[in-house]
Amino acid sequence: MSQKKVKGSPSLQSIKSLPVDLRFVGSSGSNRMNLSDNVSDNVELSSDSAQGRSDIGSENDESPYYNLDMPAKNTPTRSIKRSNVDSKWSDTTPYTTKKKLQSWFQLPDGNWELATILQTSGNESLISLADEKVLKVNMESLVPSNPDILDGVDDLMQLSYLNEPSVLYNLQYRYNQDMIYTKAGPVLVAVNPFKKVSLYGDDYIDAYKCKSMASPHVYAITDAAMREMIRDEVNQSIIISGESGAGKTETAKIAMQYLAALGGGSGIEYEILKTNPILEAFGNAKTLRNDNSSRFGKLIEIHFSETGKISGASIQTFVQSSAGERSYHIFYQLCAGAPPLLREKLNLRNADEFKYLSQSNCFTVSGVDDAEQFRVVTEALNIVHVAKESQDSVFAMLAAVLWLGNVSFTVIDSENHVEPVVDEGLVNVATLIECNIEELKLALSTRKMRVGNDTIVQKLTLPQAIDTRDALAKSIYSCLFDWLVERINKSLAVGKIRTGRSISILDIYGFESFERNSFEQFCINYANERLQQHFNRHLFKLEQEEYIQDGIDWTKVDFEDNQDCLNLFEKKPLGLQSLLDEESTFPNGTDLSFANKLKQHLNSNPCFRGERGKAFTVSHFAGEVTYDTTGFLEKNRDLLHLDSIQLLSSCTCPLPQAFASTMLTQSEKPVVGALYKSGGANSQKLSVTTKFKGQLFQLMKRLENTTPHFIRCIKPNNTQSPGSYSQELVLQQLRCCGVLEVVRISRSGFPTRMTHQKFAKRYGFLLLDHVASQDPLSVSVAILHQFNILPEMYQVGYTKLFFRTGQIGVLEDTRNRTLHGILRLQSYFRGHQARCRLKELKRGIVTLQSFFRGEKTRKEYSVLLQRHRAAIHIQKRIKARICRNKFRRLNEASTAIQSVIRGWLVRRCSGDIGLLQFGERKGTEPEEVLVKSTFLAELQRRVLRAEATLREKEEENEILSQRLQQYENRWSEYELKMNSMEQVWQKQMRSLQSSLSIAKKSLAFESDYSQRNSDASVNENDDQESTIWETKAHEINGVRSSTSAGTGVIGRLAEEFEQRSQVFGDDAKFLVEVKSGQVEAGLDPDSELRRLKQMFEGWKKDYGARLRETKVILHKLGNEEEPTRKKWWGRRNSTRMG
């Protein structure tokens, strides 16, 4: 956590060696330093106090300068205040003596104020109050106060003197600084701020999740429950209690938000959070003390998977009491926010037109928009998977309850028997619940009773009919609330993985004690007695386990058990509840008869005392409470008779039928004892007290299997005003919640405890003699011996020192005085160090400045010199350019003048020559003109001739170009022809080669002769010549197959073919190279190519003739072959020759 910043001059704030919490005060020109009012080494009372780091064993309390500043704005504005606000260090009175003279004194108005004892004489003391009023009081009326170090501690167990004014002052001190959470041992005390405080949000959730904050908070309690559940694999419970308006509902929401942040990810956490608007709308109402008072208790059990993720939840409700100043929120939200179609369907009116809502004349809540809240509720119903049809049925039941309140009755006979008036109210009720209107009239005006085997129909009087009507409305609403909770549980149980790990959040009333206490307080205080017993067992178990684990000499502490009070409530047959149920079954039973019966049977019980009239007093754990029995019997009875249940079961709407089924199931439970007495057992069901007792036992059974964490919510004032703190109201709640008793029980052993290391570090510097052994235990024991602390006032454990109440005060006083002197000495020494360092810094700064300024000047001079040189260079270039331009202009002007003069001279000389030639004649001017015209005509003729010549040359060029193009085209054609001829020659050569090879192979392999010849392919582009070659090859093959004599002839033909093909190929290749220009030769390639072709054709004819002759010879030689072979040779020959 961040430390509070030093207030003072900026120069001194930068000196880190000063104590972090010194405060500089005085005039603007003064440098005097004073320490703060309050030296609290182990308690954060500055801005860090808002985060609650106040335990003695905190990590930051090792420094003697830790949190010395106590801002004046943090001093509570209350009747509990200090008598001296000046600096304590200006007073030379010893600290211990001064503290012994301060005590708490109770004023006549009941408030406590810190007083200073001026003089003591016997049993009387002279005290001075804050307003300088001096009083003489009895010493017994003074209550000791705690040292300043304990102001604002975040755990009440750290108070040396535990008394009511000290607890009130500590809570008020923290409350004024918006530190609304304080620990009371294992209990978290939460004071309602009635405003938004900056203690929540994602940043705080992350801080508590990462353990970077440890101050008291709902997040800390919830985080501890989560960690213990995962670590110990044991279910946890968070029990939230407090009176109406103390902030229980908001505290439960905060705990659920933290669990959703820790175990979120599956999406079910969003549904769990959305159950809050539904439960608040249907279960909360405005009261005189609270605008959003929960009229029921609830237990939300959140289930977790093995990985710590939320997997489901379930909600259990109980103790649904009557509404307060206003009815339940949902009625006003329905009237204000229902859409037009729904309003028309339900025939809704404004809230002030319904009698159930107009009784309080309170139709709105400040700062709440009912129409918007209705939208939020419908959205939440969609999220928890309540179908649209079911929502319409729910709203119809709500409207039916409102219209039931408008049902009126009329007297029909002299005995005041009544029947319902068939008006708008009755008709709307019958329409909404979908029942027969005549059956509804009978259910509201008559009652069936069975006497023996006969059934008697009894008409109801006006009070009885009104009670029946109201009972029906209450039953419909109660069943509707239970049905909604059931549907929510089904939605939250979808996909739930049963791991057996859960955290339950219990939001229940705290102990209540008013001027007039009725049946509701009777049930609530009984529930708190049960919870207190559960808490006592849990508390002592933890405390004594710690003592045993640390190995101290400990005798088991006997605590005041409230079992006697529980027996008073639960004992049968003479307990409060049993007698109440018994008296409720008697038709003639009254509240007075019930009170008298209690006094008759219970006066011997130490926890009971009968009072005058209808009252009786019960001694609860939190004090005595006097109850008024007025209305006990009526509230304990279930006034809904079987006729009304049968009416609901006859409805065609499924929701009333479900309600009737539920109520019939409850009525079928066995009823024993006096419940069978007159009135008809078939119309009787379990009483409210019995139902509540059963629900409470189920609750306690579930809590017994969990590790509990307790949160007590406190309401600081009845006006719901931020910053207002009523001591009387807070003290009453502390007593009722049992906070003081909790701390006393926790402190009955050794409330102040500190580890050996912390104790040695905190008080080790107080030792006068050096201890040979430096281990923390030896140092701690030496400190205890030095200050003569009696052995029975402390215990030394394995890891901690345990002290009785008030034993740490002497050590703290001595430590504070010693630290005071040390701080003064350190302040002077550090001031001297700061001044010396300031001088050194000044000298260093001057040196640095001189170097910096010299470097800066040199750089500026270098830049200036560069600029000077650049300017000179630019000037030189500009001047040279100007001179060049000036010279060029002079040169051009001179040239122009010279040309003019020379032209004039030429013209002048030409004129003189003309005069010399023709000057002898008169009229020479026409002659001159004639000569010049002739010259011009000659020039024109020359020009025309040149143009004609030019045109001729262009025509010649065009003709040459055309010829050149023709030559190029012819050359391209020649190239194509040469390429085609070369391809033809190559094909022919390949054909001849293949024919010769076939002939050779046919002679060599006679058996495969026909097969080898069939494989020879001849190109279709080869014309007659290739066919001839093939024919000759077959003839040769035939000759060779007939006789070996033809082998030599064929060999010679083949050799000649190879040579000729090589010669023709080389010649053709050479001509192609000559044609393309690759080889220079003095011959015409075209003519040579034609000549070569002719030679080739001649040789081919000659070669063909010789082949035919060879064929004939071979044919003759082969006449002796078999006919089949002749046929084959003839067939192949005819094919080739054709």
Side-chain angles (χ1 to χ4, degrees):
M1 297 184 184
S2 61
Q3 297 291 343
K4 187 174 182 66
K5 295 183 179 180
V6 179
K7 299 180 181 179
S9 61
S11 60
L12 291 177
Q13 287 181 0
S14 63
I15 302 176
K16 296 183 179 180
S17 59
L18 284 176
V20 294
D21 284 315
L22 283 178
R23 180 171 63 180
F24 299 89
V25 296
S27 60
S28 59
S30 175
N31 291 327
R32 180 169 53 90
M33 293 185 296
N34 292 333
L35 286 174
S36 167
D37 236 16
N38 304 301
V39 178
S40 57
D41 180 58
N42 68 321
V43 184
E44 296 190 20
L45 300 178
S46 59
S47 60
D48 294 343
S49 299
Q51 318 225 340
R53 294 303 300 260
S54 59
D55 53 306
I56 293 178
S58 63
E59 295 298 330
N60 296 329
D61 62 346
E62 313 306 335
S63 172
Y65 317 113
Y66 180 60
N67 288 333
L68 294 177
D69 189 21
M70 184 71 60
K73 67 181 180 69
N74 289 338
T75 302
T77 57
R78 62 198 183 329
S79 59
I80 301 181
K81 54 187 178 183
R82 305 179 187 281
S83 60
N84 184 10
V85 296
D86 296 330
S87 174
K88 69 163 53 176
W89 307 119
S90 62
D91 187 359
T92 57
T93 305
Y95 181 81
T96 306
T97 304
K98 183 170 64 176
K99 280 302 295 181
K100 286 182 178 178
L101 297 178
Q102 290 181 340
S103 298
W104 295 107
F105 176 71
Q106 190 171 20
L107 300 177
D109 60 1
N111 292 331
W112 293 87
E113 187 170 336
L114 194 63
T116 302
I117 301 177
L118 302 178
Q119 185 179 358
T120 301
S121 176
N123 292 331
E124 294 182 348
S125 296
L126 194 66
I127 63 173
S128 174
L129 302 178
D131 55 1
E132 299 183 357
K133 184 178 180 179
V134 178
L135 298 176
K136 190 174 184 180
V137 298
N138 194 321
M139 283 289 295
E140 296 179 356
S141 63
L142 298 178
V143 178
S145 65
N146 289 286
D148 293 343
I149 188 177
L150 300 179
D151 288 348
V153 292
D154 60 3
D155 193 343
L156 297 180
M157 287 186 62
Q158 297 178 12
L159 296 176
S160 296
Y161 299 103
L162 182 65
N163 46 57
E164 291 181 350
S166 296
V167 172
L168 285 174
Y169 168 70
N170 194 78
L171 291 178
Q172 183 176 1
Y173 187 93
R174 295 177 60 80
Y175 177 72
N176 289 337
Q177 300 181 59
D178 290 339
M179 295 184 293
I180 62 175
Y181 297 112
T182 305
K183 292 201 68 177
V187 180
L188 178 67
V189 178
V191 184
N192 193 344
F194 293 115
K195 65 178 182 179
K196 292 183 178 180
V197 291
S198 57
L199 296 177
Y200 314 103
D202 294 339
D203 293 339
Y204 281 88
I205 290 176
D206 294 338
Y208 281 96
K209 182 179 178 181
C210 301
K211 289 294 184 182
S212 59
M213 294 182 69
S215 56
H217 201 287
V218 177
Y219 291 164
I221 294 292
T222 311
D223 186 78
M226 185 75 173
R227 293 178 184 273
E228 290 182 22
M229 181 195 70
I230 297 174
R231 182 192 64 203
D232 303 333
E233 296 186 352
V234 176
N235 294 342
Q236 307 291 309
S237 61
I238 301 174
I239 302 174
I240 305 172
S241 61
E243 73 169 53
S244 179
K248 302 184 302 298
T249 301
E250 292 300 320
T251 302
K253 285 189 202 175
I254 295 169
M256 291 172 63
Q257 289 171 359
Y258 188 80
L259 288 178
L262 289 184
S266 61
I268 190 69
E269 70 278 1
Y270 185 64
E271 294 185 28
I272 295 175
L273 295 178
K274 280 299 180 180
T275 61
N276 289 321
I278 302 174
L279 296 178
E280 288 184 14
F282 285 86
N284 289 22
K286 174 179 168 53
T287 64
L288 294 174
R289 295 185 176 185
N290 186 6
D291 289 344
N292 189 32
S293 176
S294 297
R295 310 312 300 159
F296 69 104
K298 64 177 179 289
L299 178 70
I300 303 176
E301 186 177 13
I302 302 177
H303 299 267
F304 294 85
S305 64
E306 295 180 355
T307 58
K309 299 298 181 181
I310 296 177
S311 60
S314 62
I315 300 174
Q316 178 185 355
T317 60
F318 46 89
V319 200
Q320 188 172 14
S321 61
S322 59
E325 178 187 359
R326 247 181 35 142
S327 188
Y328 296 101
H329 294 325
I330 187 62
F331 292 120
Y332 303 92
Q333 295 171 1
L334 178 65
C335 293
L341 292 178
L342 183 61
R343 292 182 66 88
E344 182 180 356
K345 180 179 178 181
L346 304 181
N347 199 13
L348 287 177
R349 300 287 187 269
N350 294 329
D352 56 0
E353 298 183 36
F354 294 107
K355 292 182 180 179
Y356 279 159
L357 304 183
S358 61
Q359 294 176 0
S360 64
N361 291 325
C362 179
F363 304 104
T364 59
V365 178
S366 177
V368 177
D369 185 356
D370 287 328
E372 175 62 21
Q373 290 302 314
F374 182 77
R375 186 195 63 78
V376 173
V377 170
T378 54
E379 179 183 349
L381 289 172
N382 292 328
I383 291 175
V384 297
H385 310 294
V386 178
K388 185 65 170 59
E389 296 78 8
S390 299
Q391 293 183 32
D392 293 340
S393 298
V394 169
F395 298 143
M397 293 301 102
L398 294 175
V401 170
L402 293 178
W403 282 114
L404 268 174
N406 286 12
V407 172
S408 59
F409 300 91
T410 180
V411 179
I412 60 174
D413 56 25
S414 60
E415 296 180 1
N416 288 330
H417 294 152
V418 297
E419 68 176 9
V421 177
V422 182
D423 56 3
E424 185 183 22
L426 190 69
V427 172
N428 286 332
V429 172
T431 304
L432 291 170
I433 66 175
E434 300 180 12
C435 73
N436 185 277
I437 192 170
E438 293 299 328
E439 294 180 358
L440 177 60
K441 288 176 61 178
L442 290 176
L444 295 178
S445 59
T446 62
R447 180 181 304 167
K448 294 180 182 179
M449 301 181 64
R450 189 171 60 184
V451 179
N453 294 328
D454 299 329
T455 301
I456 299 174
V457 178
Q458 177 186 1
K459 294 183 179 180
L460 302 179
T461 61
L462 182 60
Q464 291 174 337
I466 292 176
D467 290 342
T468 302
R469 179 198 66 186
D470 294 343
L472 178 61
K474 291 178 181 178
S475 298
I476 291 176
Y477 190 80
S478 177
C479 291
L480 177 62
F481 185 81
D482 294 338
W483 179 86
L484 274 175
V485 172
E486 182 181 357
R487 292 299 299 268
I488 291 173
N489 287 336
K490 288 182 180 179
S491 173
L492 299 181
V494 174
K496 180 172 62 179
I497 303 174
R498 293 286 183 178
T499 62
R501 302 293 171 261
S502 65
I503 296 178
S504 301
I505 300 176
L506 176 64
D507 177 5
I508 193 173
Y509 284 106
F511 191 88
E512 291 186 353
S513 178
F514 305 128
E515 293 182 1
R516 182 182 180 277
N517 300 284
S518 186
F519 181 75
E520 288 79 12
Q521 285 71 42
F522 178 81
C523 294
I524 290 170
N525 291 342
Y526 164 61
N528 278 272
E529 285 287 351
R530 270 287 169 195
L531 292 174
Q532 183 65 23
Q533 187 186 54
H534 173 69
F535 172 72
N536 287 343
R537 289 201 302 270
H538 175 74
L539 172 67
F540 273 91
K541 180 180 178 181
L542 290 181
E543 286 294 310
Q544 298 187 79
E545 278 183 358
E546 184 175 2
Y547 297 153
I548 294 172
Q549 289 176 359
D550 228 62
I552 68 173
D553 186 10
W554 171 254
T555 303
K556 186 176 180 180
V557 177
D558 295 328
F559 61 95
E560 183 178 354
D561 197 357
N562 62 342
Q563 187 61 46
D564 292 339
C565 185
L566 288 175
N567 291 337
L568 174 65
F569 276 87
E570 299 171 353
K571 188 177 180 181
K572 295 181 179 180
L574 299 178
L576 288 174
Q577 294 174 342
S578 299
L579 293 175
L580 176 60
D581 288 341
E582 179 181 351
E583 193 67 19
S584 298
T585 59
F586 291 114
N588 298 327
T590 62
D591 297 329
L592 182 59
S593 63
F594 169 63
N596 292 333
K597 182 177 288 189
L598 293 181
K599 297 172 188 176
Q600 177 184 355
H601 295 285
L602 301 177
N603 266 338
S604 59
N605 193 303
C607 295
F608 178 85
R609 185 175 71 250
E611 302 292 344
R612 184 177 300 176
K614 301 179 182 180
F616 66 93
T617 300
V618 176
S619 178
H620 290 281
F621 72 95
E624 292 185 349
V625 179
T626 300
Y627 298 97
D628 186 355
T629 59
T630 302
F632 263 55
L633 298 183
E634 179 183 356
K635 294 177 180 179
N636 189 49
R637 292 188 183 113
D638 190 347
L639 298 179
L640 187 68
H641 291 269
L642 189 59
D643 299 342
S644 300
I645 300 177
Q646 292 175 349
L647 171 68
L648 294 177
S649 64
S650 67
C651 297
T652 58
C653 181
L655 210 52
Q657 293 178 356
F659 298 163
S661 177
T662 302
M663 288 185 283
L664 285 174
T665 303
Q666 294 177 354
S667 66
E668 291 174 357
K669 293 181 180 179
V671 183
V672 297
L675 293 180
Y676 277 106
K677 294 185 179 181
S678 60
N682 62 334
S683 64
Q684 301 294 333
K685 298 190 292 296
L686 296 177
S687 65
V688 174
T689 304
T690 305
K691 292 178 182 177
F692 173 58
K693 182 179 178 181
Q695 292 177 345
L696 184 61
F697 270 90
Q698 291 180 2
L699 171 65
M700 297 309 302
K701 183 178 179 181
R702 295 175 70 172
L703 293 180
E704 287 291 343
N705 296 325
T706 65
T707 301
H709 305 266
F710 297 91
I711 300 177
R712 307 287 193 183
C713 297
I714 302 295
K715 182 169 65 173
N717 60 78
N718 283 324
T719 60
Q720 303 181 29
S721 302
S724 177
Y725 188 89
S726 173
Q727 290 186 29
E728 181 181 0
L729 178 62
V730 173
L731 183 58
Q732 177 190 3
Q733 294 174 81
L734 292 176
R735 291 171 178 169
C736 294
C737 292
V739 171
L740 294 177
E741 185 66 21
V742 167
V743 179
R744 287 192 181 98
I745 291 174
S746 301
R747 291 162 52 92
S748 60
F750 300 90
T752 305
R753 60 203 70 180
M754 194 181 299
T755 62
H756 300 158
Q757 291 81 4
K758 296 292 182 182
F759 188 84
K761 290 181 180 180
R762 187 172 184 81
Y763 304 108
F765 68 96
L766 299 177
L767 285 175
L768 299 178
D769 299 327
H770 180 70
V771 180
S773 176
Q774 294 298 323
D775 65 284
L777 180 59
S778 301
V779 174
S780 301
V781 173
I783 295 171
L784 295 175
H785 290 167
Q786 177 176 312
F787 287 91
N788 297 321
I789 297 179
L790 298 178
E792 61 269 17
M793 302 308 293
Y794 70 90
Q795 288 278 353
V796 179
Y798 297 140
T799 60
K800 295 180 182 179
L801 294 174
F802 297 82
F803 294 92
R804 298 284 186 185
T805 302
Q807 295 306 306
I808 205 71
V810 177
L811 294 175
E812 283 297 322
D813 294 340
T814 306
R815 184 175 183 273
N816 286 336
R817 288 199 312 272
T818 306
L819 285 178
H820 168 62
I822 292 173
L823 290 176
R824 293 297 295 271
L825 178 62
Q826 287 180 344
S827 65
Y828 288 132
F829 178 72
R830 288 172 178 169
H832 172 70
Q833 280 186 327
R835 287 187 290 273
C836 294
R837 182 167 178 78
L838 182 61
K839 292 179 180 178
E840 293 179 1
L841 288 175
K842 284 183 177 180
R843 288 195 296 268
I845 289 171
V846 171
T847 304
L848 289 175
Q849 286 178 342
S850 63
F851 283 114
F852 178 77
R853 289 169 180 168
E855 182 67 20
K856 182 179 178 181
T857 302
R858 284 189 290 273
K859 288 183 179 180
E860 290 177 352
Y861 174 75
S862 176
V863 171
L864 182 62
L865 184 60
Q866 275 186 333
R867 290 180 178 177
H868 178 71
R869 291 175 178 173
I872 292 175
H873 183 72
I874 292 171
Q875 288 176 354
K876 180 179 67 175
R877 293 299 182 92
I878 292 175
K879 290 177 180 179
R881 184 174 181 179
I882 292 173
C883 291
R884 283 193 296 271
N885 292 338
K886 186 177 180 180
F887 174 77
R888 187 174 63 255
R889 288 195 298 270
L890 290 174
N891 189 14
E892 291 175 355
S894 300
T895 304
I897 292 171
Q898 288 176 358
S899 64
V900 171
I901 293 174
R902 288 172 180 169
W904 178 77
L905 291 175
V906 171
R907 286 191 296 273
R908 181 179 178 184
C909 292
S910 298
D912 292 341
I913 293 172
L915 291 175
L916 291 175
Q917 291 177 355
F918 307 104
E920 297 178 354
R921 295 183 181 180
K922 294 182 179 179
T924 57
E925 290 182 6
E927 192 65 27
E928 278 187 34
V929 173
L930 181 61
V931 174
K932 291 181 179 178
S933 299
T934 304
F935 178 74
L936 291 175
E938 182 64 24
L939 289 177
Q940 288 178 353
R941 283 193 298 273
R942 291 181 181 180
V943 170
L944 291 175
R945 284 197 297 271
E947 290 178 353
T949 305
L950 179 62
R951 282 194 297 272
E952 291 176 359
K953 295 298 183 182
E954 289 178 354
E955 291 176 358
E956 290 179 2
N957 288 338
E958 186 175 356
I959 293 171
L960 292 175
S961 297
Q962 292 176 356
R963 290 180 180 178
L964 179 62
Q965 184 66 31
Q966 291 176 358
Y967 291 150
E968 290 179 353
N969 293 336
R970 292 176 62 186
W971 172 248
S972 300
E973 292 176 359
Y974 291 154
E975 281 186 341
L976 293 175
K977 290 180 180 180
M978 291 295 294
N979 291 333
S980 62
M981 291 178 64
E982 183 179 3
Q983 292 176 359
V984 170
W985 292 343
Q986 290 178 357
K987 289 180 182 180
Q988 291 178 354
M989 295 302 177
R990 285 197 297 268
S991 178
L992 291 175
Q993 289 177 357
S994 61
S995 299
L996 291 175
S997 62
I998 289 171
K1000 290 179 181 180
K1001 291 179 181 179
S1002 63
L1003 293 175
F1005 305 100
E1006 183 176 355
S1007 63
D1008 296 329
Y1009 190 84
S1010 61
Q1011 225 172 16
R1012 296 286 182 176
N1013 283 309
S1014 63
D1015 292 335
S1017 60
V1018 181
N1019 196 325
E1020 292 179 358
N1021 294 330
D1022 296 343
D1023 37 49
Q1024 185 177 2
E1025 290 138 4
S1026 57
T1027 303
I1028 294 172
W1029 291 115
E1030 288 181 3
T1031 303
K1032 298 299 182 292
H1034 284 294
E1035 292 176 355
I1036 294 173
N1037 290 336
V1039 173
R1040 293 194 62 176
S1041 64
S1042 300
T1043 178
S1044 58
T1047 304
V1049 177
I1050 293 174
R1052 288 192 296 273
L1053 290 174
E1055 182 179 357
E1056 180 183 356
F1057 176 80
E1058 292 293 338
Q1059 293 176 356
R1060 286 291 184 174
S1061 62
Q1062 181 68 29
V1063 170
F1064 286 129
D1066 294 338
D1067 292 342
K1069 183 176 181 181
F1070 174 76
L1071 293 176
V1072 170
E1073 290 177 353
V1074 172
K1075 182 68 174 180
S1076 61
Q1078 296 179 3
V1079 178
E1080 295 182 358
L1083 52 88
D1084 185 8
D1086 294 332
S1087 59
E1088 290 295 326
L1089 185 61
R1090 284 192 296 271
R1091 189 177 63 81
L1092 181 63
K1093 184 177 181 181
Q1094 292 175 358
M1095 291 174 63
F1096 177 77
E1097 292 292 335
W1099 175 79
K1100 185 172 67 173
K1101 289 180 180 180
D1102 181 64
Y1103 193 79
R1106 283 185 287 168
L1107 280 178
R1108 281 192 295 273
E1109 292 174 358
T1110 306
K1111 173 187 172 183
V1112 173
I1113 295 172
L1114 291 176
H1115 181 68
K1116 290 179 179 181
L1117 294 175
N1119 283 333
E1120 297 177 359
E1121 297 287 336
E1122 58 271 15
T1124 56
R1125 186 171 181 85
K1126 290 182 179 181
K1127 291 181 180 179
W1128 174 87
W1129 177 261
R1131 191 164 52 249
R1132 291 288 294 177
N1133 188 39
S1134 63
T1135 302
R1136 292 293 183 181
M1137 296 305 294

